Amino acid sequence: MTVVAPDETPLAHQRQQRLRLWLLLAPGALWLFFFFVLPLLIVMLYSFATPGPTGNVIWQFNFDSYITLIGKDLYFNAYYRSLWVGLQTTVICLLVGYPLALYMTLAEPKQRNLLLFLVLIPFWTNFLVRTYAWMIILSNNGLINDLLQWLGFAKQLLYPSAGAVLVGLIYGNLPFMVLPLFASLARFDFTLMEASADLGAGRWRSFWRIMFPLTVPGVVAGSVLVFIPTVGQFVVSDLLGGSKVDLLGNLLQRLFTRSNPPNWPLGSALALVFMFVLTLIVIIYFRTTTEEDR
Amino acid sequence: MIDVPVSATRPPSANRSTAGRRILGLHAWLTYIFLYAPIVILVLFSFTTDTFGVRWTGFTIDWYLRLARDTRMINATVNTLWVALVATIISTVCGTLLALAMERYRFRGRNGMDALLYLPIVIPEIVMALALLAFFSFAFGLLESLTGIKLRMNIWTVIVSHVAFCISFVVVVVRASLKGFDMRLEEAGADLGADPQTIFWRITLPLIMPGVIGGALLAFTLSLDDFIISFFTVGPGTNLLPVEVYGRVKRAITPSINAISTIMLVVSMALVFLSQFVQRQRD
């Protein structure tokens, strides 16, 4: 960049502005192009290629991978199960998170900062570590089984199981629901609730007609932040579900790295359809919730 | 990433103590117990003498001492810190510049750029990880067939990938801090004869610095904690902390993993404190 002389012509100034804009944009935009856009395009390319016998990829293009995806129950079930687990996790996080966020909002400022901080710590803590903590608690000789025995029950195989996966997912994602809800509730004007009460509305009616509709943006943001990572994860279902709970993430991981031989074209097709379905769901969700809002 | 107002006005009805409030309070208590019990147990059991690390049989710091001699784990930790550091520097510079471009200029393709910036945040991490794996494998294959140079995935492919997903988060944080920027300060600087560079280094950057540091801290934490993208882009020769921990956890629960997990937890907590501190400064 050069120094702008005061007597510069408008044209030179414009050129300089353009240069400056280009310098600001180029590093990040090029990085994102090469290491984000291009990889997605290459996955698209792979999804039409043919899997080789040793896990390699043969550059013969066809729709075989997509036909396999549609034809086999295994894949349909994985989509179905992943979306179902994602929905369960999101709804439970919302049911648990909304009252908590409300309590945080109503707390005294000092206490509120502490309560917020206590949600931020798990929010920033490694997901793997938090999943691992549940392995300790649920393990065969762990605390829950000790408690069960102390109460006179028989030991249970608590994990790997579908229930353990759900608990792990709720635990891991709850902070992602609470924070946007809190942000939304903290902006809510609570005098509206008093106005509503003065006009004779009961608590539930005031909540459903006033507070909830006005905090829908927080509900939407929280739900998306919980739903997307949940549907795509494979760590929780791998560690707490063993091979019993096969979600999309587990299938993808196997197709790319573990199965014998790996099948990258099929994995690519699975990932792309997954991304497409997920985007569609999120768009529909956004549309319907914002329309209700108005 | 999430804009949480720290100093919102308190509702007038807040002091009213009713049955509803008490139920809310009980619910909050139970939820906090649910959030913290596993963490407390994890920390506690990093000091247990139980060799399975799942019950309390006595106090020891032996597992931490073992970690100190565990060269694989130390090596993985050093690698992870190095990745996070380099990825943070690159993504903070690129992200801050991008944020300036997006907030200050109107240009063709700006809406497209906006959408592109949100994409890495919203697409499932595993899709991005697999895409990067496919990309590196494709690019290295192409390079080898064209020039004969053999490249393999290593620590640099991880760094490159981490930057790709951290940039967007930095942009979001820095843009938020540019929103309330008083442009008159820059105009005043220009009127007093400062050239664009001086204005940038002496006025703009210092004013948006809390946002830049906030973005950098977020990028650092994201990179440090990332497992999925690291797992797929690291290649067989390099060792990273989350990948190493995952590999060991798959085999068995051991008190040593409790110990390293506790250390990771403490680092995360320190980063939360730091980011909260930075945010206070900003307000």
Side-chain angles (χ1 to χ4, degrees):
Chain A
M1 268 188 251
T2 50
V3 180
V4 191
D7 56 344
E8 213 167 8
T9 59
L11 192 70
H13 179 71
Q14 206 178 9
R15 197 174 295 147
Q16 181 138 23
Q17 283 291 82
R18 206 173 298 147
L19 176 74
R20 205 169 291 146
L21 170 64
W22 196 83
L23 284 173
L24 289 176
L25 272 177
L30 286 176
W31 202 291
L32 282 176
F33 175 75
F34 277 107
F35 304 117
F36 183 71
V37 177
L38 213 54
L40 285 178
L41 292 176
I42 283 168
V43 166
M44 223 170 273
L45 198 64
Y46 270 108
S47 76
F48 293 107
T50 309
T54 58
N56 56 333
V57 174
I58 299 164
W59 295 111
Q60 256 163 20
F61 296 102
N62 52 55
F63 290 95
D64 288 0
S65 295
Y66 289 96
I67 292 166
T68 314
L69 275 193
I70 297 163
K72 275 197 182 164
D73 282 352
L74 170 71
Y75 302 108
F76 179 78
N77 286 339
Y79 279 113
Y80 171 75
R81 243 191 330 259
S82 300
L83 294 173
W84 176 232
V85 168
L87 184 69
Q88 281 174 299
T89 308
T90 310
V91 169
I92 296 173
C93 281
L94 183 61
L95 291 177
V96 176
Y98 201 102
L100 179 66
L102 183 59
Y103 181 77
M104 288 164 67
T105 321
L106 294 172
E108 285 174 39
K110 240 189 195 153
Q111 202 191 355
R112 172 161 50 183
N113 282 342
L114 177 71
L115 292 173
L116 178 63
F117 191 67
L118 286 174
V119 175
L120 281 172
I121 289 174
F123 182 84
W124 286 59
T125 302
N126 194 307
F127 202 84
L128 192 61
V129 166
R130 288 189 293 145
T131 307
Y132 173 68
W134 279 97
M135 290 175 73
I136 300 175
I137 296 172
L138 298 174
S139 83
N140 218 11
N141 299 311
L143 289 177
I144 305 263
N145 262 325
D146 280 356
L147 186 71
L148 282 176
Q149 278 180 308
W150 185 74
L151 290 169
F153 294 102
K155 260 192 190 182
Q156 302 279 323
L157 184 72
L158 297 167
Y159 95 92
S161 70
V165 173
L166 194 60
V167 170
L169 286 172
I170 293 164
Y171 182 70
N173 287 294
L174 189 57
F176 293 86
M177 179 65 89
V178 174
L179 288 180
L181 282 176
F182 173 73
S184 190
L185 276 164
R187 287 194 197 93
F188 176 70
D189 181 3
F190 278 83
T191 52
L192 290 174
M193 294 298 275
E194 292 186 352
S196 167
D198 288 347
L199 292 171
R203 285 164 162 269
W204 274 111
R205 201 171 145 84
S206 301
F207 173 76
W208 283 113
R209 296 294 289 273
I210 295 167
M211 190 194 283
F212 190 77
L214 284 171
T215 49
V216 156
V219 174
V220 172
S223 304
V224 170
L225 278 181
V226 171
F227 187 72
I228 292 178
T230 306
V231 178
Q233 61 78 36
F234 74 90
V235 174
V236 179
S237 45
D238 195 31
L239 293 180
L240 290 172
S243 50
K244 286 185 181 173
V245 185
D246 232 354
L247 300 184
L248 263 178
N250 308 81
L251 264 184
L252 284 171
Q253 187 211 356
R254 241 179 296 144
L255 283 172
F256 270 86
T257 58
R258 282 201 293 185
S259 58
N260 201 10
N263 189 338
W264 284 29
L266 186 57
S268 301
L270 192 67
L272 285 176
V273 173
F274 169 51
M275 197 172 80
F276 180 73
V277 170
L278 209 55
T279 314
L280 211 62
I281 290 173
V282 170
I283 289 173
I284 292 170
Y285 181 65
F286 263 111
R287 284 271 159 83
T288 48
T289 45
T290 45
E291 256 163 42
E292 260 171 35
D293 198 19
R294 269 160 208 166
Chain B
M1 179 170 54
I2 295 163
D3 181 25
V4 179
V6 181
S7 52
T9 49
R10 204 155 150 264
S13 57
N15 292 322
R16 211 182 292 155
S17 180
T18 61
R21 280 292 310 271
R22 261 184 304 240
I23 293 171
L24 271 186
L26 181 69
H27 171 84
W29 265 101
L30 290 175
T31 310
Y32 278 111
I33 290 172
F34 172 68
L35 280 177
Y36 278 89
I39 294 176
V40 171
I41 287 164
L42 176 75
V43 174
L44 196 67
F45 286 178
S46 69
F47 296 105
T48 181
T49 48
D50 178 31
T51 46
F52 297 106
V54 295
R55 19 169 87 117
W56 185 256
T57 50
F59 179 86
T60 180
I61 55 161
D62 196 35
W63 312 114
Y64 288 90
L65 298 176
R66 279 194 200 194
L67 271 186
R69 293 191 299 267
D70 189 338
T71 46
R72 249 185 99 82
M73 202 64 106
I74 289 171
N75 181 255
T77 309
V78 171
N79 283 341
T80 296
L81 287 173
W82 173 244
V83 167
L85 187 71
V86 179
T88 301
I89 293 169
I90 300 175
S91 58
T92 304
V93 172
C94 291
T96 304
L97 296 181
L98 266 181
L100 281 166
M102 297 301 291
E103 282 299 308
R104 293 287 174 80
Y105 292 85
R106 297 283 170 272
F107 53 92
R108 222 188 310 156
R110 187 171 171 275
N111 287 341
M113 194 66 213
D114 222 3
L116 175 64
L117 282 170
Y118 276 101
L119 222 50
I121 299 177
V122 296
I123 85 165
E125 209 184 341
I126 192 165
V127 173
M128 187 165 173
L130 294 174
L132 283 158
L133 170 65
F135 168 77
F136 287 125
S137 146
F138 181 84
F140 292 168
L142 196 68
L143 189 75
E144 196 185 333
S145 64
L146 290 178
T147 63
I149 300 169
K150 268 193 184 176
L151 284 180
R152 286 188 158 276
M153 293 203 291
N154 58 18
I155 200 164
W156 288 100
T157 47
V158 181
I159 290 174
V160 161
S161 308
H162 279 201
V163 172
F165 79 81
C166 286
I167 285 179
S168 296
F169 289 92
V170 175
V171 171
V172 170
V173 176
V174 177
R175 275 180 85 168
S177 75
L178 276 166
K179 284 257 159 64
F181 192 89
D182 190 351
M183 288 298 284
R184 284 171 303 181
L185 291 168
E186 287 189 3
E187 283 158 21
D191 288 345
L192 293 170
D195 58 71
Q197 278 118 322
T198 315
I199 291 174
F200 178 77
W201 290 108
R202 301 289 294 273
I203 299 172
T204 317
L205 193 61
L207 281 170
I208 63 167
M209 208 52 188
V212 175
I213 294 172
L217 275 173
L218 183 60
F220 190 76
T221 312
L222 286 171
S223 170
L224 213 56
D225 284 352
D226 172 75
F227 167 72
I228 295 184
I229 288 178
S230 309
F231 179 78
F232 285 105
T233 55
V234 73
T238 319
N239 212 356
L240 289 170
L241 191 54
V243 181
E244 175 71 20
V245 169
Y246 174 77
R248 293 197 192 189
V249 165
K250 284 284 284 179
R251 265 172 276 145
I253 300 172
T254 66
S256 300
I257 305 175
N258 300 2
I260 189 73
S261 299
T262 301
I263 294 172
M264 288 160 82
L265 190 78
V266 170
V267 171
S268 299
M269 282 172 77
L271 284 166
V272 184
F273 270 106
L274 207 59
S275 75
Q276 286 296 93
F277 179 73
V278 171
Q279 205 182 341
R280 288 281 144 76
Q281 303 288 97
R282 190 165 23 173
D283 298 322

